[in-house]
Amino acid sequence: MTSRVAVVGATGKLGGLAADLIDRTEGFEVAARLSSKDGLEALADVDLVVDMTIPVVSPTVVEAALAAGKPVLVGTSGWNAERLAKLGHRLAELPDLGVIVVPNFSIGSVLATRFATIAGRYFDSVEIIEAHAATKIDSPSGTATRTAELITAARAELGPVEAPHVDQRARGQQVASIPVHSMRLAGIVAQQDVVFGGEGEVLRLTHQTISGRSYEAGILAALRALPEARGLTVGLDAILGLDA
């Protein structure tokens, strides 16, 4: 059986990559390629919805899909803890539907974030530096936000990171107590450094995306998990078996 998929945001870089990937993958076909500005009536005629839009549009796409009774894979940035909590409450009313929100589809990035959550329990000094192309609208990135939130959650018994001089603008934006510094530059696809400082040592975890092809395995893993998903799933960790 072939699943009919609507890709919203298909005119963008990631959305276009996802749509082309889905079209050449057995068991799936793209039934609707929509831009972030198109109407969403076509969602009623598909089996699955993929949202690759922009932060201001994404919640509308997700709600339209849920109202049409369709599960959603979200690859759009901007889904912070507050937005995710609201979405979780919405899904509690829809026990037969699922939404998978993925801050980063790169397997390497997912693993780097997992390593960072482990290291966060052993270092009290932590900062994140993330870099993306100049065309990326939002900052900090969804990956950096998620990484900071997970590190702080892993430190629940230790308390939040106490970063110095955070009242100074040059010290970055605090996310879950961790300073995050965002760069938007030509020539960069994506890179994230999580830097841990300790007595007499520095640990730096770096992940660099060289090509959009690094997202393909993660997109397919999430898409294949989507029909059976229930409730809210954030990240690829559970899908990849990292939570086992």
Side-chain angles (χ1 to χ4, degrees), residues 130-150:
E130 60 95 353
H132 284 79
T135 54
K136 183 172 176 60
I137 297 173
D138 60 307
S139 63
S141 68
T143 303
T145 298
R146 181 67 175 163
T147 302
E149 290 172 346
L150 289 174

Side-chain angles (χ1 to χ4, degrees), residues 72-223:
V72 194
L73 170 59
V74 179
T76 305
S77 292
W79 285 87
N80 56 24
E82 182 180 355
R83 274 192 176 182
L84 290 171
K86 290 180 180 178
L87 180 55
H89 290 311
R90 175 72 171 109
L91 285 166
E93 305 169 357
L94 303 166
D96 295 328
L97 286 179
V99 175
I100 300 175
V101 178
V102 181
N104 196 312
F105 288 102
S106 160
I107 305 299
S109 176
V110 173
L111 290 171
T113 295
R114 175 53 65 100
F115 300 154
T117 63
I118 296 171
R121 298 195 293 268
Y122 300 94
F123 292 88
D124 292 328
S125 184
V126 187
E127 305 209 8
I128 298 173
I129 306 165
E130 60 95 353
H132 284 79
T135 54
K136 183 172 176 60
I137 297 173
D138 60 307
S139 63
S141 68
T143 303
T145 298
R146 181 67 175 163
T147 302
E149 290 172 346
L150 289 174
I151 291 172
T152 297
R155 292 175 50 86
E157 296 181 0
L158 301 172
V161 170
E162 295 184 5
H165 313 303
V166 292
D167 57 314
Q168 301 173 16
R169 292 182 62 185
R171 291 287 293 116
Q173 176 180 328
Q174 277 192 294
V175 178
S177 80
I178 296 174
V180 179
H181 312 267
S182 298
M183 297 189 294
R184 297 293 177 263
L185 298 169
I188 291 179
V189 178
Q191 180 169 319
Q192 177 168 289
D193 294 83
V194 186
V195 186
F196 300 89
E199 292 297 327
E201 63 178 342
V202 172
L203 171 64
R204 181 184 293 263
L205 298 176
T206 299
H207 176 264
Q208 184 176 17
T209 300
I210 299 170
S211 163
R213 291 196 61 186
S214 66
Y215 303 132
E216 293 184 358
I219 291 172
L220 288 181
L223 190 66

